[in-house]
Short mmCIF file of all heavy atoms in Angstrom, two decimals:
data_model
loop_
_atom_site.label_atom_id
_atom_site.label_comp_id
_atom_site.label_asym_id
_atom_site.label_seq_id
_atom_site.Cartn_x
_atom_site.Cartn_y
_atom_site.Cartn_z
N VAL Z 1 -4.97 6.07 5.46
CA VAL Z 1 -5.76 4.98 4.82
C VAL Z 1 -4.88 3.74 4.69
O VAL Z 1 -5.37 2.66 4.95
CB VAL Z 1 -6.23 5.50 3.54
CG1 VAL Z 1 -7.03 4.36 2.71
CG2 VAL Z 1 -7.18 6.67 3.63
N ALA Z 2 -3.73 3.85 4.10
CA ALA Z 2 -2.91 2.63 3.82
C ALA Z 2 -1.49 3.13 3.74
O ALA Z 2 -1.20 4.12 3.24
CB ALA Z 2 -3.33 1.96 2.49
N THR Z 3 -0.51 2.17 4.04
CA THR Z 3 0.88 2.33 3.94
C THR Z 3 1.54 1.17 3.33
O THR Z 3 1.13 0.01 3.58
CB THR Z 3 1.44 2.58 5.36
OG1 THR Z 3 0.95 3.77 5.93
CG2 THR Z 3 3.04 2.81 5.27
N ILE Z 4 2.58 1.36 2.53
CA ILE Z 4 3.31 0.32 2.02
C ILE Z 4 4.83 0.72 2.25
O ILE Z 4 5.20 1.81 2.02
CB ILE Z 4 3.13 0.14 0.51
CG1 ILE Z 4 3.96 -1.15 0.06
CG2 ILE Z 4 3.33 1.31 -0.28
CD1 ILE Z 4 3.41 -1.70 -1.27
N THR Z 5 5.61 -0.24 2.73
CA THR Z 5 7.00 0.06 3.20
C THR Z 5 7.90 -0.03 2.06
O THR Z 5 7.57 -0.40 0.87
CB THR Z 5 7.40 -1.07 4.27
OG1 THR Z 5 7.41 -2.44 3.71
CG2 THR Z 5 6.50 -0.96 5.46
N THR Z 6 9.15 0.28 2.33
CA THR Z 6 10.18 0.42 1.34
C THR Z 6 10.68 -0.96 0.75
O THR Z 6 10.85 -1.11 -0.39
CB THR Z 6 11.38 1.35 1.68
OG1 THR Z 6 11.91 0.81 2.89
CG2 THR Z 6 10.89 2.66 2.01
N THR Z 7 11.09 -1.80 1.72
CA THR Z 7 11.78 -2.95 1.34
C THR Z 7 10.88 -4.27 1.32
O THR Z 7 10.91 -4.77 0.19
CB THR Z 7 12.94 -3.28 2.47
OG1 THR Z 7 12.38 -3.30 3.74
CG2 THR Z 7 13.92 -2.16 2.42
N SER Z 8 10.32 -4.63 2.31
CA SER Z 8 9.42 -5.80 2.33
C SER Z 8 8.15 -5.64 1.55
O SER Z 8 7.59 -6.56 1.12
CB SER Z 8 9.12 -6.24 3.64
OG SER Z 8 8.33 -5.26 4.40
N GLY Z 9 7.73 -4.40 1.30
CA GLY Z 9 6.45 -4.16 0.71
C GLY Z 9 5.31 -4.55 1.40
O GLY Z 9 4.15 -4.68 1.05
N SER Z 10 5.52 -4.57 2.86
CA SER Z 10 4.45 -4.97 3.70
C SER Z 10 3.47 -3.80 3.70
O SER Z 10 3.81 -2.62 3.52
CB SER Z 10 4.80 -5.22 5.06
OG SER Z 10 5.49 -4.16 5.64
N THR Z 11 2.16 -4.11 3.97
CA THR Z 11 1.13 -3.09 3.88
C THR Z 11 0.36 -2.98 5.27
O THR Z 11 0.31 -4.05 6.00
CB THR Z 11 0.18 -3.30 2.69
OG1 THR Z 11 -0.48 -4.70 2.87
CG2 THR Z 11 0.89 -3.21 1.37
N ASN Z 12 -0.28 -1.87 5.43
CA ASN Z 12 -1.11 -1.67 6.57
C ASN Z 12 -2.27 -0.87 6.08
O ASN Z 12 -2.14 0.07 5.27
CB ASN Z 12 -0.38 -1.01 7.74
CG ASN Z 12 0.57 -1.94 8.44
OD1 ASN Z 12 0.25 -2.71 9.17
ND2 ASN Z 12 1.88 -1.63 8.13
N TYR Z 13 -3.44 -1.06 6.74
CA TYR Z 13 -4.67 -0.40 6.27
C TYR Z 13 -5.48 0.05 7.54
O TYR Z 13 -5.47 -0.58 8.48
CB TYR Z 13 -5.54 -1.36 5.53
CG TYR Z 13 -4.93 -1.82 4.20
CD1 TYR Z 13 -4.18 -3.03 4.14
CD2 TYR Z 13 -5.01 -1.09 3.02
CE1 TYR Z 13 -3.56 -3.51 3.01
CE2 TYR Z 13 -4.40 -1.56 1.86
CZ TYR Z 13 -3.72 -2.80 1.88
OH TYR Z 13 -3.06 -3.11 0.67
N ALA Z 14 -6.21 1.13 7.36
CA ALA Z 14 -7.19 1.49 8.27
C ALA Z 14 -8.27 0.47 8.36
O ALA Z 14 -8.56 -0.26 7.30
CB ALA Z 14 -7.71 2.89 7.92
N ASP Z 15 -8.78 0.28 9.51
CA ASP Z 15 -9.85 -0.77 9.69
C ASP Z 15 -11.09 -0.53 8.70
O ASP Z 15 -11.68 -1.40 8.28
CB ASP Z 15 -10.41 -0.75 11.09
CG ASP Z 15 -9.36 -1.40 12.11
OD1 ASP Z 15 -8.46 -2.09 11.57
OD2 ASP Z 15 -9.51 -1.17 13.23
N SER Z 16 -11.31 0.72 8.41
CA SER Z 16 -12.48 1.11 7.66
C SER Z 16 -12.32 0.69 6.15
O SER Z 16 -13.37 0.63 5.50
CB SER Z 16 -12.66 2.61 7.73
OG SER Z 16 -11.52 3.34 7.26
N VAL Z 17 -11.14 0.39 5.74
CA VAL Z 17 -10.92 0.05 4.37
C VAL Z 17 -10.40 -1.33 4.13
O VAL Z 17 -10.15 -1.81 2.94
CB VAL Z 17 -10.04 1.12 3.62
CG1 VAL Z 17 -10.63 2.45 3.75
CG2 VAL Z 17 -8.59 0.93 4.18
N LYS Z 18 -10.13 -2.16 5.23
CA LYS Z 18 -9.49 -3.39 5.11
C LYS Z 18 -10.47 -4.35 4.28
O LYS Z 18 -11.69 -4.29 4.52
CB LYS Z 18 -9.23 -3.97 6.51
CG LYS Z 18 -8.10 -3.51 7.16
CD LYS Z 18 -7.89 -4.06 8.56
CE LYS Z 18 -6.64 -3.65 9.27
NZ LYS Z 18 -6.44 -4.12 10.57
N GLY Z 19 -9.85 -5.14 3.41
CA GLY Z 19 -10.64 -5.94 2.59
C GLY Z 19 -11.20 -5.34 1.34
O GLY Z 19 -11.76 -6.02 0.45
N ARG Z 20 -11.14 -3.96 1.22
CA ARG Z 20 -11.73 -3.18 0.13
C ARG Z 20 -10.69 -2.50 -0.70
O ARG Z 20 -10.79 -2.43 -1.90
CB ARG Z 20 -12.79 -2.22 0.64
CG ARG Z 20 -13.96 -2.90 1.31
CD ARG Z 20 -15.11 -1.89 1.56
NE ARG Z 20 -14.68 -0.77 2.42
CZ ARG Z 20 -14.67 0.50 1.97
NH1 ARG Z 20 -15.03 0.88 0.82
NH2 ARG Z 20 -14.27 1.46 2.90
N PHE Z 21 -9.62 -1.97 -0.05
CA PHE Z 21 -8.58 -1.19 -0.67
C PHE Z 21 -7.33 -1.97 -0.70
O PHE Z 21 -7.01 -2.82 0.22
CB PHE Z 21 -8.26 0.13 0.08
CG PHE Z 21 -9.49 1.14 -0.04
CD1 PHE Z 21 -10.67 0.81 -0.54
CD2 PHE Z 21 -9.21 2.42 0.50
CE1 PHE Z 21 -11.71 1.79 -0.64
CE2 PHE Z 21 -10.22 3.40 0.43
CZ PHE Z 21 -11.43 3.11 -0.14
N ALA Z 22 -6.43 -1.73 -1.64
CA ALA Z 22 -5.13 -2.32 -1.80
C ALA Z 22 -4.15 -1.34 -2.27
O ALA Z 22 -4.27 -0.68 -3.27
CB ALA Z 22 -5.17 -3.52 -2.64
N ILE Z 23 -3.10 -1.17 -1.46
CA ILE Z 23 -1.98 -0.32 -1.83
C ILE Z 23 -0.89 -1.15 -2.52
O ILE Z 23 -0.58 -2.32 -2.07
CB ILE Z 23 -1.44 0.51 -0.67
CG1 ILE Z 23 -0.46 1.55 -1.07
CG2 ILE Z 23 -0.82 -0.42 0.36
CD1 ILE Z 23 -0.08 2.53 0.01
N SER Z 24 -0.26 -0.57 -3.47
CA SER Z 24 0.81 -1.28 -4.10
C SER Z 24 1.83 -0.18 -4.73
O SER Z 24 1.55 0.93 -4.78
CB SER Z 24 0.37 -2.20 -5.31
OG SER Z 24 -0.31 -1.45 -6.28
N ARG Z 25 3.09 -0.70 -5.05
CA ARG Z 25 3.97 0.26 -5.57
C ARG Z 25 4.78 -0.44 -6.73
O ARG Z 25 5.01 -1.57 -6.74
CB ARG Z 25 4.90 0.77 -4.42
CG ARG Z 25 5.81 -0.21 -3.99
CD ARG Z 25 6.51 0.32 -2.61
NE ARG Z 25 7.37 1.42 -3.00
CZ ARG Z 25 7.81 2.26 -2.05
NH1 ARG Z 25 7.43 2.12 -0.77
NH2 ARG Z 25 8.69 3.24 -2.41
N ASP Z 26 5.23 0.45 -7.67
CA ASP Z 26 6.07 0.06 -8.70
C ASP Z 26 7.31 0.92 -8.72
O ASP Z 26 7.18 2.11 -9.20
CB ASP Z 26 5.30 0.14 -10.08
CG ASP Z 26 6.19 -0.46 -11.25
OD1 ASP Z 26 7.36 -0.58 -11.07
OD2 ASP Z 26 5.59 -0.79 -12.21
N ASN Z 27 8.36 0.39 -8.13
CA ASN Z 27 9.55 1.30 -7.95
C ASN Z 27 10.16 1.63 -9.19
O ASN Z 27 10.85 2.73 -9.37
CB ASN Z 27 10.60 0.61 -7.02
CG ASN Z 27 10.13 0.54 -5.59
OD1 ASN Z 27 9.16 1.24 -5.18
ND2 ASN Z 27 10.74 -0.30 -4.81
N ALA Z 28 10.13 0.79 -10.24
CA ALA Z 28 10.63 1.13 -11.57
C ALA Z 28 9.93 2.29 -12.20
O ALA Z 28 10.46 3.00 -13.02
CB ALA Z 28 10.50 -0.10 -12.51
N LYS Z 29 8.66 2.47 -11.84
CA LYS Z 29 7.88 3.63 -12.36
C LYS Z 29 7.75 4.80 -11.41
O LYS Z 29 7.00 5.73 -11.75
CB LYS Z 29 6.46 3.12 -12.80
CG LYS Z 29 6.55 2.22 -14.02
CD LYS Z 29 5.15 1.81 -14.43
CE LYS Z 29 5.21 0.74 -15.48
NZ LYS Z 29 5.73 1.25 -16.73
N ASN Z 30 8.22 4.65 -10.25
CA ASN Z 30 8.16 5.58 -9.19
C ASN Z 30 6.80 6.07 -8.85
O ASN Z 30 6.42 7.12 -8.72
CB ASN Z 30 8.98 6.98 -9.54
CG ASN Z 30 10.51 6.74 -9.47
OD1 ASN Z 30 10.98 5.63 -9.19
ND2 ASN Z 30 11.22 7.78 -9.87
N THR Z 31 5.94 4.98 -8.72
CA THR Z 31 4.47 5.18 -8.63
C THR Z 31 3.89 4.24 -7.54
O THR Z 31 4.38 3.11 -7.49
CB THR Z 31 3.85 4.97 -10.07
OG1 THR Z 31 4.32 5.79 -10.97
CG2 THR Z 31 2.24 5.09 -9.83
N VAL Z 32 3.04 4.82 -6.75
CA VAL Z 32 2.28 4.05 -5.84
C VAL Z 32 0.76 4.11 -6.24
O VAL Z 32 0.32 5.17 -6.80
CB VAL Z 32 2.46 4.59 -4.36
CG1 VAL Z 32 2.04 6.05 -4.26
CG2 VAL Z 32 1.80 3.73 -3.33
#
């Protein structure tokens, strides 16, 4: 569905969810 990288925080999405879903991460909280 979606991926977020370790360093740059760049994201990628499946075409079916683009514009609707957003992935994010909070490294301080160890949470995506």
Side-chain angles (χ1 to χ4, degrees):
V1 176
T3 296
I4 185 165
T5 61
T6 57
T7 54
S8 67
S10 63
T11 58
N12 289 282
Y13 299 92
D15 288 342
S16 59
V17 307
K18 285 181 180 177
R20 299 189 298 119
F21 291 10
I23 188 171
S24 62
R25 67 192 296 162
D26 186 339
N27 288 344
K29 297 184 181 296
N30 288 357
T31 301
V32 63

